[in-house]
Amino acid sequence: MAWDRLSRIGAAVNADSMHAETVNGANPLAVADAVRRKRALLIEGNGPALLDVECYRSTGHSTTDANVYRSREELKLWEKRDPIINFSTLMVEKGVMSVEQVEAMRQDVTAQIEGVTRAAVNPEAAPVVNIKDDPLLIGKLMFSNQEIAVPASPTQVLQTPENTAAIKSLLRKARFGFDPDGQPLSGMRAITLRDALTESTLHHMLNDASLVAYGEECREWGGAFGVYRGLAEIFPYDRLFNSPISEAAIVATAVGYALEGGRALVELMYGDFIGRAGDEIFNQMAKWRSMSNGTLKMPVVLRCSVGSKYGAQHSQDWTALIAHIPGLKVLYPATPYDAKGLLASALSSDDPVVFFESQRLYDTVEQFRDGGVPSDYYRIPMGEPDVKRFGEDVTILTIGPSLYPALAAAAEMEEKYSLSAEVIDARSLVPFNYDKVVESVKKTGYLLVVSEASERGSFGMTLSSNMTRFAYEHLKAAPRVLGSPNWIVPGAEMESTYFPQAGDIIDVVTSDFYPAKKTNRSGVRNWDDRELAKVSL
C-alpha cells in the first residue's frame, strides 16, 4: 500500500524496486537531477522507473477553498520551504543572480500576470457573450461540420500496397456478394465489411501524412479483428503502432495529438472498454471544440467493436451512452458499402466520431448495392438513413446488425402474412435526419425500431419518441421499440434468446400493428411489456 511513501510501492514491482525514489518537489535542482538519472536508465533499457515528487499546495484547491483542513501554523511553516523563495536565495548565494536581478524578475513576472489578467477581464478585448442576441451560440459550436480534402499525393511507405499479400488478396475479391447467377459468395471470395474498413483506412493513411492509427495489437497482429491486416508492411511504425493496454491513454493521446494539429484513428477493441476511458471521451474528446469557442479542432475517430459470444463485459451495445454525450458524432454501419463510405467521411471530419462495428458483421458481404463496394474512394454523408427494402404496411428502422433479422422477418411476413415491410438502416445515430423515416411512416402508418442494445434507455427509444412528434398525424398506432432485455448480455449459447430475432420482430408487428394476423413465431420470449416488467424493470 506504500502508506506514507508512494515510492515504496516500487519494491513490489521488480528486483530493482522500479528504481523508485521520493524527491523533494520544492527543490527544482533535486527534481532535475532525479529526472536526468531516470532518463538515463530508460534510454539504457533498464526501466521502468518511478519518481515520487512531493510538493505542497500553499493555496486552496479553488477560490472557494476555505482551507479548513489545515491550520495557519501549518501554512506558515511551509512558507519557509517556498520553492521560489528558496531557489532565488540559492541563486544569490551561489553568485548566479544578484538580489536586484531577482527582484527585477519578480516584478517582470508580476507585470505579465497582471497584464494577462487585465486583458482577460477587459470587455473590449474579450466581449461578454450576449446570450439574448444569440441564444443558440453553444449549439453552433458543437460541431464544425467541416471535412478536409484528402491530398492526392501519397505519403512515404515501406512498400506499395499492391506488393503486399493482404492487398493482393483484396484486389482478387468480387466487389458484390452474389455471383452472376445470384448465388451468395463467402467472405473469402467477396469484399466483406472488414475489407471495406481496411480499404478506407488504407486510402486515408496513404494520402494524409498527419493521420496516425493505433490501439491494442493494431500492427503486427493486424488489429484484434483483422481490419489492419497487412498494413504493417506498408506503413512505418510512427504511423501505425501498438499502444499499451490503457484505454484512457489511447484516447487521451489521440486528443492531445489532435489538439496539436494531427489526425488520429484509434481503437478500443471492445465497446465495453469505453468505461475505461470515460473522462477522456466524455469530457475531453467531446468538449474541446466548444470550450475553445470553435478555435480548436478534434479530428479523432474512435473505433469500438460491439462484441458477440463473449458475455456481459465484452458484448454490450453502448451506442445510447455515447449518443447521449453532446459533442460526439456516432456511426454504426451494417453493410460493407456503408462501412467504407462512412469511415471515409469520419476520417475526413474535423469533429470527433465514435465508430461502432459489430463483430458479427465483419465477414458480411455486400448484398444491397448492385455494383458492390466500389474499389475507388467515396464518402457517404453522416446522418442519412438508408432504405434497404421498400414496403407498404410497416416501417422497420434498424440500428447496426438488427438490419439482418429485420430483413429476414420482412421476407417471412410477406410470404406468410401478405405484409409488406419497409426496412430502413439508421447507419448514423448522431447526426440523424428523420425525413426519410417520416416519409416512410406517411406511407405505412406504423413504426418499429429495432436494435441489439438493452431496450430501456436505448437510442431506439429516442428515435421512437421523436418520431411520435414528427409523424404524429400519420401514425396509426404508437411506435414500438424492440431491443434486448434489460439484463446483462449472456454467453454465446444464450444469444439467440437475448438479441432480437426475426421471429421477435414478426411477433411485435402481428401483435401490435396487425393483430388479425397475430402469431407467436419465436416460441421463446413473450414480449408483452407487462410480463417483461416483472423481470426487467
Side-chain angles (χ1 to χ4, degrees):
M1 296 276 302
W3 297 110
D4 60 336
R5 284 288 182 273
L6 176 64
S7 56
R8 288 179 179 170
I9 208 167
V13 175
N14 58 26
D16 295 315
S17 296
M18 209 176 172
H19 305 287
E21 64 178 286
T22 298
V23 182
N24 178 11
N27 185 339
L29 295 180
V31 175
D33 177 66
V35 170
R36 177 187 57 78
R37 289 184 283 103
K38 302 309 177 190
R39 181 177 183 272
L41 286 169
L42 299 182
I43 292 175
E44 294 166 3
N46 294 323
L50 172 63
L51 275 182
D52 173 20
V53 182
E54 291 193 341
C55 304
Y56 186 79
R57 190 180 66 213
S58 298
T59 59
H61 178 72
S62 67
T63 55
T64 59
D65 188 340
N67 275 313
V68 295
Y69 46 85
R70 53 187 175 182
S71 65
R72 291 180 178 274
E73 289 73 21
E74 177 184 328
L75 290 170
K76 286 187 175 297
L77 286 172
W78 276 98
E79 283 179 4
K80 298 178 181 179
R81 298 191 63 182
D82 183 291
I84 297 176
I85 295 174
N86 288 347
F87 190 60
S88 61
T89 300
L90 180 64
M91 294 296 99
V92 172
E93 290 176 354
K94 298 298 181 180
V96 177
M97 297 179 70
S98 66
V99 173
E100 292 75 19
Q101 287 175 317
V102 169
E103 183 58 29
M105 178 180 288
R106 187 186 303 277
Q107 293 179 7
D108 183 50
V109 171
T110 301
Q112 287 187 47
I113 295 174
E114 182 178 341
V116 170
T117 304
R118 289 186 181 280
V121 299
N122 182 354
E124 294 182 1
V128 177
V129 173
N130 189 335
I131 197 66
K132 291 183 178 180
D133 287 349
D134 194 0
L136 302 180
L137 175 62
I138 294 297
K140 294 175 183 177
L141 294 172
M142 295 310 302
F143 298 114
S144 69
N145 292 320
Q146 298 295 313
E147 290 189 350
I148 63 165
V150 179
S153 56
T155 60
Q156 185 175 4
V157 295
L158 301 177
Q159 62 176 315
T160 56
E162 294 77 12
N163 290 332
T164 66
I167 303 305
K168 286 180 180 178
S169 174
L170 285 185
L171 296 175
R172 289 194 295 266
K173 286 188 172 185
R175 310 303 298 186
F176 189 50
F178 294 88
D179 67 17
D181 297 325
Q183 297 301 309
L185 298 174
S186 72
M188 298 294 290
R189 299 178 59 196
I191 293 293
T192 64
L193 189 145
R194 174 190 293 106
D195 299 331
L197 295 173
T198 301
E199 289 186 344
S200 196
T201 301
L202 176 61
H203 182 91
H204 274 265
M205 292 285 287
L206 283 173
N207 294 284
D208 186 355
S210 69
L211 177 64
V212 297
Y214 60 96
E216 297 163 15
E217 306 294 353
C218 279
R219 190 169 174 83
E220 290 79 9
W221 194 13
F225 306 101
V227 171
Y228 300 135
R229 189 174 297 151
L231 299 190
E233 301 175 49
I234 302 171
F235 299 106
Y237 208 95
D238 61 343
R239 298 286 314 286
L240 174 69
F241 51 91
N242 300 324
S243 72
I245 304 177
S246 172
E247 288 76 19
I250 291 171
V251 180
T253 51
V255 168
Y257 182 60
L259 291 175
E260 289 294 322
R263 307 181 72 84
L265 172 62
V266 291
E267 177 189 355
L268 291 192
M269 197 175 289
Y270 287 88
D272 312 61
F273 300 165
I274 286 170
R276 303 298 302 170
D279 180 72
E280 288 72 19
I281 299 171
F282 303 153
N283 282 326
Q284 311 305 327
M285 183 173 157
K287 296 177 180 176
W288 271 111
R289 172 179 162 77
S290 299
M291 291 195 303
S292 70
N293 194 31
T295 302
L296 298 172
K297 297 179 180 179
M298 189 52 62
V300 174
V301 178
L302 176 63
R303 294 180 51 231
C304 299
S305 71
V306 179
S308 178
K309 305 186 296 294
Y310 302 112
Q313 296 181 341
H314 291 74
S315 303
Q316 298 169 93
D317 182 328
W318 277 0
T319 50
L321 176 64
I322 293 296
H324 180 70
I325 304 300
L328 298 174
K329 292 186 175 180
V330 186
L331 305 178
Y332 198 176
T335 71
Y337 175 80
D338 292 343
K340 181 173 179 178
L342 285 173
L343 183 58
S345 291
L347 291 172
S348 305
S349 174
D350 277 336
D351 298 317
V353 180
V354 181
F355 198 93
F356 284 96
E357 305 160 13
S358 170
Q359 292 174 22
R360 280 188 282 110
L361 298 184
Y362 280 130
D363 290 318
T364 302
V365 296
E366 181 57 38
Q367 306 173 24
F368 304 97
R369 184 179 172 85
D370 290 338
V373 182
S375 56
D376 293 336
Y377 178 77
Y378 64 94
R379 298 177 187 175
I380 295 176
M382 299 185 210
E384 297 298 329
D386 186 53
V387 178
K388 293 296 196 288
R389 187 185 196 276
F390 291 94
E392 303 291 333
D393 297 320
V394 60
T395 300
I396 304 176
L397 175 59
T398 66
I399 298 174
S402 298
L403 169 66
Y404 295 96
L407 291 167
E412 185 172 337
M413 286 190 291
E414 185 160 39
E415 177 185 353
K416 295 186 176 181
Y417 309 111
S418 299
L419 291 174
S420 173
E422 183 150 295
V423 180
I424 303 178
D425 180 7
R427 303 195 299 188
S428 173
L429 278 60
V430 182
F432 186 87
N433 184 352
Y434 286 86
D435 291 349
K436 198 168 290 186
V437 186
V438 171
E439 287 302 313
S440 179
V441 169
K442 285 182 181 179
K443 176 175 54 175
T444 67
Y446 298 105
L447 174 64
L448 170 61
V449 185
V450 187
S451 81
E452 291 192 347
S454 295
E455 196 169 291
R456 180 179 58 222
S458 67
F459 194 74
M461 289 292 189
T462 298
L463 294 172
S464 171
S465 175
N466 285 336
M467 281 300 297
T468 302
R469 293 192 295 126
F470 301 154
Y472 182 80
E473 67 271 30
H474 307 293
L475 287 164
K476 299 174 183 177
R480 266 298 307 266
V481 176
L482 176 62
S484 297
N486 303 314
W487 316 330
I488 64 171
V489 183
E493 68 277 10
M494 293 183 283
E495 280 189 352
S496 62
T497 59
Y498 180 80
F499 297 125
Q501 306 295 312
D504 304 312
I505 295 171
I506 295 172
D507 283 350
V508 172
V509 173
T510 57
S511 295
D512 286 21
F513 302 150
Y514 293 94
K517 301 177 184 291
K518 186 171 183 178
T519 182
N520 187 354
R521 286 286 290 104
S522 67
V524 177
R525 289 186 291 186
N526 184 341
W527 281 100
D528 182 275
D529 285 339
R530 290 166 296 179
E531 292 297 319
L532 199 60
K534 297 176 183 178
V535 291
S536 297
L537 303 180

